[in-house]
Amino acid sequence: MENRTLRVFKTMSYREKPNSEELAFGRTFTDHMFVMDYSDAEGWHDAKIVPYEPLKIDPAAMVFHYGQSVFEGLKAYLNPQGEPLLFRPRKNIARLNRSNERLCIPTLDEDFLLHALKQLIYIEKEWIPKADGTSLYIRPMIISTEPFLGVAPSKEYKLVIILSPVGAYYKEGINPIKIAVENDFVRAVRGGTGEAKTGGNYASSLKAQEVAGKEGYSQVLWLDGVEKRYIEEVGSMNVFFKIGDEVVTPELNGSILSGITRSSVIQLLKHWGISVRESKITIDELYQEYQKGNVEEVFGSGTAAVISPIGQLDWNDHKMFFNNGQTGKLSKELYETLTGIQYGRLNDPFNWIEKVATQQTMNKVG
Ligand SMILES: *Cc1c(COP(=O)(O)O)cnc(C)c1O
């Protein structure tokens, strides 16, 4: 049975906090981290918040050899009253469990993990930067730790949550990005692990990213791994096309990551009475619509940038330009509304925001 006790060991040496104007993404970490272990005998156990420190792991640990690992990414924001907020954290925890299922990692008690996350954020709340557009990035991850070179699911795991203060994604306003359609490399295939948030998907995407980067592109547009026709994602974001009065996004098919920003965008558009279609869309279809002058806006969605407008999309020799390289009206409205809700500046009609308790309720839940 799972042991749901959460112990807290505070650090003896607090780190210096960076200037909130000069934050680089993912380079600074806070004073504490959350850790929890799994063994077949004890289940998930020994949950604790401890000083941030390197892990000591056997070089035979299975994660180093066969890559059995999963992760998540979400943020804590300060509202105008200075209270920490989380945006749909239960969705991230539920997705972590779905990734676990796919990678044969034992699933977690979702209520307990949310409780632990809130305690960690509470303890580290002074680390949430205050400058406009900044936040505290939350990175939960699970690795297989059993020291064994056999190919099988590990019998031991470690879950860690680390926190990193991050700067405003758009410091000088939103600049639409330039994208290349990727014809050779694929990110994921149906039946593979594309729908799971696992490091392997990222490892396999680096090469395409590197080649496109050298040619002056920010990211690649991924096509399906079989026919190389159907649009899947852009970089590590989901992708949306405003075609006439309708917004189209690739339907979830097992190889596309089910983004929480994606689902929030869909919900908001429906709430605004805008027609949204989740369906297959090929790159040929998009190009045809483009030639007819129907493609008004294109954007990516994800936790890091929230909405990332795409100004140019190159498909072999076909160059497509959207909205004169400017951020479109709808992209802007989505960005303003989502960030407004995340920072507690706008009301939250969908109950997306979870407050982090301001009272410490340590030790036990459930
Ligand atoms: C995490 C991720 C996304 C975006 O998901 P959000 O929950 O919106 O942050 C999209 N695509 C890939 C491949 C991802 O890993």
Side-chain angles (χ1 to χ4, degrees):
M1 231 349 255
E2 277 202 3
N3 179 334
R4 292 168 164 212
T5 306
L6 172 59
R7 293 180 299 158
V8 178
F9 302 88
K10 291 272 185 82
T11 184
M12 305 287 263
S13 56
Y14 287 88
R15 300 168 168 219
E16 200 177 318
K17 295 185 180 64
N19 182 337
S20 88
E21 310 294 323
E22 301 161 6
L23 292 166
F25 180 84
R27 296 228 179 249
T28 312
F29 302 96
T30 67
D31 292 310
H32 299 90
M33 61 187 190
F34 172 77
V35 293
M36 180 159 64
D37 292 312
Y38 176 90
S39 68
D40 271 2
E42 293 183 86
W44 285 106
H45 67 283
D46 201 15
K48 55 196 184 202
I49 292 170
V50 296
Y52 186 100
E53 63 183 3
L55 303 174
K56 198 168 176 203
I57 296 173
D58 195 300
M62 296 173 88
V63 67
F64 298 131
H65 308 276
Y66 311 124
Q68 194 193 5
S69 69
V70 294
F71 70 94
E72 267 303 325
L74 66 162
K75 287 171 171 176
Y77 312 84
L78 284 184
N79 70 8
Q81 293 77 47
E83 300 166 311
L85 307 178
L86 295 168
F87 182 75
R88 311 186 80 181
R90 289 171 195 276
K91 288 267 177 202
N92 293 87
I93 295 173
R95 186 171 65 189
L96 183 65
N97 265 344
R98 293 201 305 275
S99 300
N100 281 342
E101 288 275 0
R102 180 65 183 82
L103 274 289
C104 297
I105 297 172
T107 56
L108 296 140
D109 179 320
E110 298 183 9
D111 290 332
F112 178 70
L113 195 62
L114 181 62
H115 165 74
L117 173 61
K118 286 182 174 178
Q119 293 307 314
L120 180 64
I121 301 295
Y122 180 79
I123 288 171
E124 300 293 63
K125 60 188 185 307
E126 298 302 323
W127 278 93
I128 309 177
K130 293 182 179 68
D132 228 25
T134 61
S135 57
L136 187 66
Y137 187 77
I138 303 166
R139 170 51 61 85
M141 58 104 171
I142 301 174
I143 52 172
S144 48
T145 50
E146 185 189 356
F148 176 46
L149 297 184
V151 179
S154 174
K155 292 186 167 66
E156 295 164 26
Y157 299 88
K158 187 177 280 291
L159 180 152
V160 186
I161 305 176
I162 55 174
L163 307 174
S164 175
V166 295
Y169 198 89
Y170 297 112
K171 282 195 197 75
E172 286 111 29
I174 306 183
N175 281 315
I177 52 174
K178 185 177 158 187
I179 301 291
V181 177
E182 177 58 58
N183 292 305
D184 301 320
F185 299 112
V186 298
R187 188 192 82 91
V189 291
R190 198 102 20 102
T193 56
E195 207 171 42
K197 234 171 157 66
T198 180
N201 294 338
Y202 280 73
S204 68
S205 74
L206 295 176
K207 192 70 195 176
Q209 191 68 47
E210 185 182 72
V211 173
K214 280 186 186 142
E215 292 167 4
Y217 297 98
S218 312
Q219 307 269 352
V220 300
L221 186 85
W222 297 107
L223 301 179
D224 76 280
V226 180
E227 296 179 61
K228 308 246 185 85
R229 289 176 59 210
Y230 298 101
I231 296 170
E232 298 225 318
E233 299 201 48
V234 59
S236 48
M237 293 182 288
N238 296 113
V239 66
F240 288 83
F241 304 93
K242 181 167 188 289
I243 304 177
D245 288 334
E246 191 175 55
V247 177
V248 183
T249 190
E251 68 186 3
L252 300 178
N253 59 359
S255 55
I256 293 172
L257 197 291
S258 172
I260 291 152
T261 318
R262 176 187 182 277
S263 104
S264 309
V265 165
I266 293 171
Q267 219 171 313
L268 261 183
L269 291 172
K270 287 183 175 164
H271 182 69
W272 290 340
I274 296 172
S275 146
V276 193
R277 181 160 57 92
E278 294 178 66
S279 71
K280 290 184 169 165
I281 173 166
T282 65
I283 187 69
D284 317 63
E285 252 177 277
L286 180 74
Y287 188 63
Q288 281 169 33
E289 292 292 349
Y290 174 75
Q291 284 184 310
K292 289 189 237 159
N294 292 340
V295 185
E296 296 172 8
E297 295 183 37
V298 180
F299 60 89
S301 74
T303 295
V306 186
I307 298 294
S308 184
I310 295 169
Q312 181 179 346
L313 181 61
D314 290 2
W315 178 38
N316 304 320
D317 296 334
H318 303 310
K319 293 190 191 308
M320 296 175 245
F321 299 90
F322 309 113
N323 203 54
N324 301 313
Q326 304 294 304
T327 300
K329 187 164 163 280
L330 187 65
S331 307
K332 203 164 178 166
E333 267 168 23
L334 285 165
Y335 178 80
E336 295 296 337
T337 307
L338 285 169
T339 54
I341 294 172
Q342 288 166 341
Y343 286 90
R345 292 188 303 257
L346 295 181
N347 73 25
D348 171 25
F350 311 103
N351 283 318
W352 283 340
I353 293 300
E354 288 242 8
K355 279 196 183 180
V356 171
T358 46
Q359 288 256 313
Q360 267 171 288
T361 48
M362 287 297 174
N363 298 325
K364 287 212 169 195
V365 287

